[in-house]
Amino acid sequence: RTIHACGDDLVQLINNILDLSKIESGHITPHISKSSIAEITSFAETTFKPISEARKLRYRIETDTNLPDIIETDVQRLNQIIKNLLSNAFKFTEQGEVILRIFIASKGWRKGNPYLDTADQVIAFSISDTGIGISPEKQQIIFEAFQQAEGSTSRKYGGTGLGLSISKGLAELLGGS
């Protein structure tokens, strides 16, 4: 596969490849600390509100009322995951809305994850949009490095196909899925 990049795109590509390499080799250690849900939602709001306004898309952040105020996580890595997922949502949504939901999950993760199976509470982050969507048969491969739903997607929207792979690796590093 040929990847065309120049300038800032090339720097981003190299950084993404380095991030993925560190994740896959186990050279990233999470720095777990107490973080507030408000801090996480503030990051998502300030980072993506200008994009939503420029693209004339509705953007909402919904949080369950029963969420704890504080969670223990690597907030930098969590924010990177949220940023990657929201970036994709905005990239592939030409009209309508993007929603980030944060809620207490009671199911929905792959069983056999010792962190999630034994946790007192599991906090879920869900992003939905009114974009082009992904066919069911392509939904698993997009989390593999350099994969996109279709070749025409990369030509029309750009990207390297690394963001979701990095996000998956970081989620697993944090004990999630």
Side-chain angles (χ1 to χ4, degrees), residues 35-66:
S35 303
S36 73
I37 295 291
E39 176 185 357
I40 295 164
T41 59
S42 176
F43 166 79
E45 177 78 16
T46 58
T47 303
F48 289 96
K49 191 69 170 175
I51 295 168
S52 71
E53 290 170 353
R55 306 253 340 263
K56 296 181 179 19
L57 296 170
R58 290 181 306 280
Y59 175 46
R60 294 184 313 203
I61 300 173
E62 299 175 355
T63 56
D64 273 359
T65 57
N66 58 346

Side-chain angles (χ1 to χ4, degrees), residues 13-112:
L13 174 63
I14 291 168
N15 286 336
N16 284 344
I17 291 170
L18 290 172
D19 282 349
L20 187 59
S21 175
K22 289 177 196 173
I23 292 166
E24 289 179 346
S25 66
H27 284 93
I28 291 183
T29 304
H31 301 286
I32 305 297
S33 62
K34 294 182 184 222
S35 303
S36 73
I37 295 291
E39 176 185 357
I40 295 164
T41 59
S42 176
F43 166 79
E45 177 78 16
T46 58
T47 303
F48 289 96
K49 191 69 170 175
I51 295 168
S52 71
E53 290 170 353
R55 306 253 340 263
K56 296 181 179 19
L57 296 170
R58 290 181 306 280
Y59 175 46
R60 294 184 313 203
I61 300 173
E62 299 175 355
T63 56
D64 273 359
T65 57
N66 58 346
L67 284 172
D69 292 332
I70 303 293
I71 62 173
E72 291 187 22
T73 189
D74 182 330
V75 74
Q76 179 183 353
R77 303 296 181 202
L78 176 59
N79 282 342
Q80 185 176 359
I81 295 166
I82 292 170
K83 183 177 178 185
N84 286 348
L85 298 176
L86 282 171
S87 292
N88 273 7
F90 279 100
K91 182 192 300 187
F92 295 108
T93 302
E94 293 182 11
Q95 59 184 357
E97 68 182 347
V98 174
I99 303 168
L100 167 60
R101 289 183 183 93
I102 306 172
F103 57 95
I104 295 176
S106 58
K107 60 181 179 176
W109 60 87
R110 194 173 305 133
K111 295 298 178 193

